[in-house]
């Protein structure tokens, strides 16, 4: 059997003659992309409307194409990862950047102009890509985070493809290896092709000899007495007159080409991940790439001060770059001079051009081997890079330059050449997108799948699958961020603490693209709107992947009573109407905690109050929670009504609809955890930390799911302070 459609080229003339009777002339493209297009189309008949042809003509067509349409049925996947690459590329409008090969790849498919990583640190960012999960969902926050210790049964993207017959291979920097991390060998079919990240050719770059600080950390070497800072520093840049393969990225490119040659000879589809180290520090690149640029043409950062009004927790000075000379060391308060800043920027651009050339070696080989028309190619940068803007260098912030990344996708038969989109995209979206492009079932974990498929956008750049991107960065507080086309809101608070304890940042990229001022006081309406979006996301889990403990909110938080009902109502595959009546434990106080919950970490729902007194309705399906919440706090008596059917999810307060949105679907199976009132007794049905006890009284509960309603009335469940004379009215 033939492997690809191109192998039928010699027979194409004969085939075309036989197909002219059907009115089909450009069979070359149809043969290449027919399988993929027909899989991805919601209506297969629009590609080949059967009513136009006679029965005998259609039988003739199928008899000729049948064997061909089975050949190469699954597309290959080539995933190109680039360390520390922000969109300094010609295709992204950078007039200085010399990136012809990435520009060519962009021209073959779609460029995402508003793409963002989910955490601006190497290891966590790569986990988000490979798992399709936010770091706030997994707890994989650090360079030394171990995937299999925290999520031993996680199914990574390459593991998922291997399950469906793909040979999966990795080369270069794929998972982060170093800082105590050893990657994830379980993810791939064959052993990883490991290469260096920190590398020097010029002896002058290591004047003291031996391992430098960064070399030792990336090679998982133990720290000497006194810590890693006792080791010497290496150079921040070098430009020897050497060939491309003198550095790791050249060797990774060469080996990837060999892997493609071998893959062409096999019958199984391939999933190859090629990871490149530059433009990560040090800016070590052959001289010819430095010579592409006139350093005098590089502009220094327009704004080198921290944003006015930004909270201290959000700010950064020093960091990684201080591990390289001639940058002042960590104990030296001297600033980076303009001359050194220009040299560093020059090095970043030279390193980007060097890695562009290596990517070109791989993509050129893909075309030369006749694999390009059967291979989905994705280029992804793990996070951005500060080049002196805001006075910051490298990454490790929640600001724009650290989080905006390039994502280029070429999917033959799906993407249109030279297309671009303003759809906000995240790293976690790559996993479900590639799965859908390959025609595989949607991934379902066991880790949370936070990404969404971008395939509708690949077909139509104007289509939208979400209106924002989410990212986070952990420091002394957790900084969770929402980025829309115009704004970014960052909420800094410790997980589990009240909403009111947060420090907030707001930036308007239409009015202030350089992030010069925190606009939280000037635009309160926008803050309220974006925080409502952020509230739909669960609190960040701890570094062990488990929910953090919720802080006490008030004096009534200790006195609890709970009603647990082992004979819980049937809710699987049913339209639900849930009503509760409750009262705050003190007049004028803000309610918080669970009113009613049924189910747990896999399936269920919860009606509860968020910190700050806002009502919320959570529905969990296959581990993923969809939340809707009111915008304003509730005081005293409250009658909440939540509805869920196949089309709509709705929350009402005292007869007034607060929010209504598209339904995530009906709860597919009966949850194991029983119904509980005034707290969540077992695992969390909603996005909170159990027990999340209610700080008032639940007075009545009614659940309708078909058949006889489930009613509990005349309750006084909750804190003792809430007990009073008001009686519930549950007549509906």
């Amino acid at each position: 059997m033939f492997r690809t459609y191109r192998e039928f080229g010699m027979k194409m003339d004969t085939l075309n003659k036989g197909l002219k009777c059907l009115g089909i002339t450009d069979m070359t493209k149809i043969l290449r992309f027919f399988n993929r297009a027909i899989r991805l189309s919601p209506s297969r008949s629009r590609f080949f409307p059967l009513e136009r042809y006679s029965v005998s003509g259609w039988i003739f067509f199928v008899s000729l194409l049948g064997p061909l349409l089975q050949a190469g049925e699954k597309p290959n996947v080539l995933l190109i990862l680039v360390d520390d690459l922000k969109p300094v590329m010609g295709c992204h409008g950078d007039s200085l950047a010399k990136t012809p090969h990435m520009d060519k790849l962009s021209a073959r498919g779609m460029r995402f102009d508003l793409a963002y990583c989910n955490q601006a640190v190497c290891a966590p960012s790569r986990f988000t890509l490979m798992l399709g999960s936010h770091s706030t969902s997994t707890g994989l926050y650090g360079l030394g985070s171990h995937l299999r210790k925290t999520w031993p049964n996680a199914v990574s993207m390459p593991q998922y493809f291997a399950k469906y017959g793909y040979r999966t291979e990795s080369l270069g920097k794929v998972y982060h290896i170093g800082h105590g991390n050893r990657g994830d060998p379980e993810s791939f079919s064959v052993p990883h092709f490991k290469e260096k990240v920190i590398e020097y050719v010029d002896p002058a770059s290591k004047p003291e000899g031996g391992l430098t600080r960064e070399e030792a950390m990336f090679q998982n070497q133990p720290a000497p007495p006194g810590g890693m800072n006792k080791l010497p520093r290496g150079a921040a840049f070098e430009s020897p007159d050497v060939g491309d393969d003198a550095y790791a990225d050249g060797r990774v490119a060469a080996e990837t080409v060999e892997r493609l040659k071998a893959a062409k000879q096999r019958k199984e589809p391939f999933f190859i991940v090629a990871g490149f180290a530059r433009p990560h520090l040090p800016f070590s690149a052959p001289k010819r790439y430095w010579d592409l640029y006139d350093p005098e043409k590089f502009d220094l950062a327009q704004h080198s001060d921290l944003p006015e009004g930004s909270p201290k927790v959000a700010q950064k000075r020093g960091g990684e770059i201080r591990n390289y000379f001639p940058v002042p060391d960590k104990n030296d308060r001297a600033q980076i001079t303009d001359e050194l800043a220009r040299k560093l920027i020059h090095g970043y651009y030279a390193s980007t051009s060097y890695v562009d050339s290596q990517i070109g070696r791989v993509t050129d080989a893909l075309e030369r081997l006749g694999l390009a028309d059967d291979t989905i190619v994705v280029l992804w940068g793990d996070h951005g890079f500060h080049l002196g803007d805001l006075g910051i260098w490298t990454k490790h912030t929640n600001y724009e330059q650290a989080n905006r990344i390039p994502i280029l996708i070429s999917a033959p038969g799906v993407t249109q050449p030279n297309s671009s989109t303003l759809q906000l995209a995240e790293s976690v979206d790559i996993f479900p997108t590639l799965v859908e492009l390959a025609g595989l079932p949607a991934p379902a974990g066991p880790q949370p799948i936070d990404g969404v498929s971008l395939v509708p956008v690949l077909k139509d750049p104007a289509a939208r699958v979400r209106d924002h991107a989410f990212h986070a960065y952990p420091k002394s507080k957790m900084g969770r961020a929402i980025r829309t086309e115009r704004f970014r809101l960052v909420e800094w608070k410790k997980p589990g603490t009240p909403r009111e304890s947060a420090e907030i940042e707001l930036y308007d990229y239409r009015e202030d693209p350089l992030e010069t001022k925190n606009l939280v006081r000037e635009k309160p309406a926008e803050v309220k709107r974006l925080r409502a979006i952020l509230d739909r996301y669960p609190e960040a889990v701890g570094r062990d992947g488990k929910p953090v403990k919720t802080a006490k909110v008030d004096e009534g938080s200790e006195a609890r009573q709970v009603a647990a009902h082992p004979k819980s109502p049937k809710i699987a595959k049913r339209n639900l109407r849930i009503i509760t009546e409750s009262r705050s434990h003190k007049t004028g106080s803000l309610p918080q905690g669970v009113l009613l919950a049924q189910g747990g970490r896999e399936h269920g729902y919860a009606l509860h109050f968020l910190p700050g007194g806002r009502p919320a309705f959570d529905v969990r399906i296959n581990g993923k929670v969809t939340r809707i919440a009111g915008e304003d706090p509730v005081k005293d008596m409250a009658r909440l009504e939540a509805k869920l059917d196949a089309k709509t999810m709705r929350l009402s307060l005292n007869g007034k609809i607060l929010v209504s949105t598209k339904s995530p679907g009906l709860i597919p199976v009966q949850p194991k955890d029983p119904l509980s009132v005034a707290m969540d007794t077992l695992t969390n049905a909603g996005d909170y930390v159990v027990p999340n006890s209610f700080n008032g009284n639940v007075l009545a509960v009614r659940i309708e799911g078909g058949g006889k309603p489930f009613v509990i009335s005349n309750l006084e469940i909750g804190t003792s302070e809430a007990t009073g004379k008001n009686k519930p009215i549950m007549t509906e």
Side-chain angles (χ1 to χ4, degrees):
M1 185 60 64
F2 297 101
R3 167 136 179 85
T4 68
Y5 294 128
R6 184 166 288 192
E7 295 178 31
F8 295 102
M10 295 180 63
K11 300 185 179 292
M12 205 42 72
D13 289 341
T14 302
L15 183 60
N16 279 330
K17 290 178 182 178
L19 292 168
K20 282 183 178 178
C21 64
L22 301 179
I24 302 173
T25 57
D26 191 5
M27 280 308 304
T28 302
K29 292 183 179 179
I30 292 174
L31 284 173
R32 287 173 182 165
F33 310 137
F34 179 62
N35 267 334
R36 216 158 302 145
I38 189 174
R39 268 199 314 274
L40 294 168
S41 170
S43 174
R44 298 184 179 189
S45 62
R46 76 180 179 90
F47 284 88
F48 292 93
L50 304 185
E51 65 270 11
R52 290 178 52 186
Y53 311 121
S54 66
V55 173
S56 60
W58 180 248
I59 292 174
F60 173 67
F61 176 74
V62 172
S63 65
L64 285 174
L65 291 189
L68 309 187
L69 297 178
Q70 298 302 316
E73 182 177 350
K74 295 177 181 175
N76 303 310
V77 177
L78 174 62
L79 188 53
I80 299 171
L81 316 185
V82 190
D83 207 351
D84 285 20
L85 179 66
K86 66 177 180 177
V88 291
M89 300 150 66
C91 59
H92 274 284
D94 192 312
S95 60
L96 289 179
K98 306 294 193 297
T99 54
H101 301 286
M102 290 188 284
D103 298 345
K104 182 180 178 181
L105 177 59
S106 176
R108 286 179 58 93
M110 178 171 285
R111 182 187 75 242
F112 285 80
D113 289 334
L114 289 175
Y116 293 88
C117 70
N118 295 114
Q119 186 182 327
V121 187
C122 293
S125 181
R126 289 159 191 268
F127 286 137
T128 65
L129 173 78
M130 291 299 187
L131 298 178
S133 308
H134 294 146
S135 58
T136 51
S137 296
T138 63
L140 299 170
Y141 297 121
L143 291 172
S145 295
H146 290 265
L147 169 57
R148 298 298 164 183
K149 286 184 179 179
T150 308
W151 291 87
N153 299 317
V155 178
S156 67
M157 177 165 41
Q159 280 181 303
Y160 192 80
F161 274 80
K163 177 181 176 182
Y164 291 94
Y166 280 77
R167 177 184 171 92
T168 60
E169 306 181 46
S170 63
L171 306 93
K173 188 170 181 182
V174 177
Y175 286 100
H176 182 87
I177 298 177
H179 302 83
N181 205 318
R182 301 189 182 278
D184 186 48
E186 293 93 333
S187 278
F188 296 96
S189 307
V190 298
H192 175 60
F193 181 82
K194 185 179 182 299
E195 263 294 355
K196 297 179 179 179
V197 175
I198 310 301
E199 186 174 23
Y200 299 105
V201 173
D202 186 348
S205 297
K206 297 172 58 175
E208 298 184 43
L211 289 177
T212 67
R213 295 176 192 174
E214 290 287 334
E215 283 180 315
M217 288 187 283
F218 273 90
Q219 294 180 29
N220 284 322
Q221 296 298 312
M228 284 294 186
N229 287 341
K230 294 296 183 181
L231 292 176
R233 300 188 299 160
F237 41 77
E238 67 172 22
S239 55
D241 193 0
V242 295
D244 288 5
D245 289 4
Y247 291 112
D249 286 347
R251 300 189 293 272
V252 168
E255 180 63 21
T256 304
V257 171
E258 294 304 311
R259 300 290 181 95
L260 290 173
K261 291 178 181 177
K264 182 176 173 62
Q265 306 305 316
R266 300 189 187 97
K267 294 181 180 180
E268 60 188 341
F270 64 76
F271 184 103
I272 293 177
V273 188
F276 295 96
R278 302 282 81 79
H280 190 288
L281 281 163
F283 301 139
S284 301
K287 179 178 181 295
R288 68 188 184 98
Y289 297 102
W290 288 76
D291 291 345
L292 293 173
Y293 298 96
D294 177 358
E296 296 303 317
K297 292 186 178 180
F298 290 115
D299 293 326
L300 300 181
Q302 295 181 51
H303 184 76
S304 57
D305 294 325
L306 292 165
E308 179 185 343
S310 60
K312 186 176 181 180
V313 68
Q315 300 169 1
K316 181 191 175 185
R317 286 290 181 261
E320 173 189 4
I321 200 165
R322 300 265 177 172
N323 282 334
Y324 300 90
F325 72 82
V327 178
D329 206 343
K330 292 180 178 179
N331 57 358
D332 187 343
R333 294 187 177 183
Q335 299 300 306
I336 294 174
T337 65
D338 287 353
E339 180 183 6
L340 178 54
R342 183 169 278 106
K343 186 75 171 183
L344 291 168
I345 295 170
H346 187 179
Y348 186 89
Y349 274 76
S351 297
T352 300
S353 291
Y354 166 62
V355 80
D356 174 80
S357 185
Q358 310 321 304
I359 291 168
R361 292 167 67 180
V362 173
T363 53
D364 287 350
L366 198 70
E367 294 186 22
R368 187 170 62 251
L369 293 167
L371 296 170
D373 292 327
D374 299 290
T375 303
I376 301 163
V377 182
V378 176
L379 183 141
W380 171 83
D382 63 349
H383 44 68
F385 202 89
H386 290 283
L387 288 170
D389 55 284
L390 307 179
I392 301 172
W393 292 86
T394 72
K395 51 269 189 184
H396 309 145
T397 76
N398 266 326
Y399 294 120
E400 180 77 357
Q401 293 304 312
N403 289 277
R404 185 169 171 235
I405 60 173
I407 292 180
L408 308 177
I409 300 179
S410 171
V414 181
T415 52
Q416 295 298 315
N418 287 303
S419 57
S420 65
T421 181
L422 290 176
Q423 167 65 64
L424 288 131
E426 302 178 17
S427 297
V428 293
D429 298 336
I430 300 297
F431 189 171
T433 299
L434 285 176
V435 164
E436 184 174 352
L437 286 172
L440 307 180
Q447 72 275 13
I449 302 298
D450 295 315
V452 298
S453 173
L454 299 170
V455 168
V457 184
L458 296 178
K459 294 178 181 180
D460 177 7
R464 293 293 178 265
V465 296
R466 69 154 71 84
D467 62 1
H468 66 276
F470 172 91
H471 62 86
Y473 192 80
K475 299 180 79 174
S476 60
K477 298 180 178 180
M478 175 61 70
R480 299 187 305 153
I482 294 295
R483 176 63 156 96
T484 67
E485 284 192 29
R486 180 175 175 180
F487 294 98
R488 171 181 278 106
L489 177 136
V490 187
E491 176 193 82
W492 293 95
K493 78 179 188 71
K494 293 183 178 180
T497 59
R499 190 171 185 265
E500 292 74 16
S501 68
E503 296 180 272
I504 304 295
E505 293 179 275
L506 180 72
Y507 300 99
D508 184 339
Y509 295 93
R510 183 185 302 171
E511 297 181 1
D512 182 21
L514 301 181
E515 299 166 314
T516 64
K517 185 178 181 180
N518 179 10
L519 301 173
V520 65
R521 297 185 183 278
E522 285 81 355
K523 296 181 181 289
E526 199 61 40
V527 170
K528 182 178 180 180
R529 184 181 75 86
L530 295 176
R531 290 197 81 183
I533 295 175
L534 187 60
D535 286 341
R536 301 205 298 261
Y537 289 85
E539 283 270 38
V541 300
R543 292 182 181 272
D544 57 359
K546 298 178 181 179
V548 299
K549 294 181 179 180
T550 303
K552 297 178 183 179
V553 177
D554 55 49
E555 67 274 16
S557 62
E558 289 299 302
R560 300 289 186 237
Q561 299 175 19
V562 63
H565 298 269
K567 295 182 179 180
S568 302
K570 300 296 183 183
I571 62 173
K573 300 179 181 179
R574 300 190 182 195
N575 296 337
L576 297 177
R577 181 176 182 235
I578 306 154
I579 305 172
T580 63
E581 290 187 0
S582 63
R583 181 177 59 241
S584 299
H585 81 273
K586 288 184 179 180
T587 301
S589 66
L590 296 178
Q592 178 176 329
V594 171
L595 298 168
L596 184 72
Q598 184 176 352
R601 65 183 59 179
E602 293 299 326
H603 305 282
Y605 67 85
L607 199 55
H608 60 109
F609 286 101
L610 299 169
R614 298 183 308 120
F617 178 37
D618 291 5
V619 173
R620 187 185 291 271
I621 297 175
N622 294 320
K624 184 174 183 179
V625 171
T626 301
R627 169 178 289 174
I628 55 176
E631 294 186 357
D632 299 313
V634 175
K635 296 182 180 180
D636 304 324
M637 294 286 293
R639 184 181 191 277
L640 292 180
E641 178 179 327
K643 285 188 176 182
L644 177 72
D645 58 35
K647 295 183 178 180
T648 305
M649 181 177 176
R650 191 170 76 192
L651 178 64
S652 301
L653 171 66
N654 298 331
K656 180 182 178 181
I657 296 175
L658 298 179
V659 59
S660 181
T661 190
K662 182 180 178 181
S663 172
L666 301 181
I667 296 171
V669 298
Q670 185 68 16
K672 297 178 181 178
D673 291 10
L675 176 72
S676 58
V677 181
M679 66 163 53
D680 197 339
T681 54
L682 298 175
T683 60
N684 53 315
D687 279 332
Y688 44 71
V689 180
V690 294
N692 197 16
S693 304
F694 183 49
N695 65 352
N697 271 149
V698 180
L699 306 175
V701 168
R702 180 185 180 94
I703 303 169
E704 299 175 5
K708 185 178 179 180
F710 186 96
V711 178
I712 313 171
S713 60
N714 297 319
L715 296 172
E716 286 288 350
I717 300 176
T719 62
S720 58
E721 293 92 318
T723 304
K725 297 180 180 180
N726 293 324
K727 296 297 180 183
I729 301 174
M730 197 64 77
T731 58
E732 296 184 45

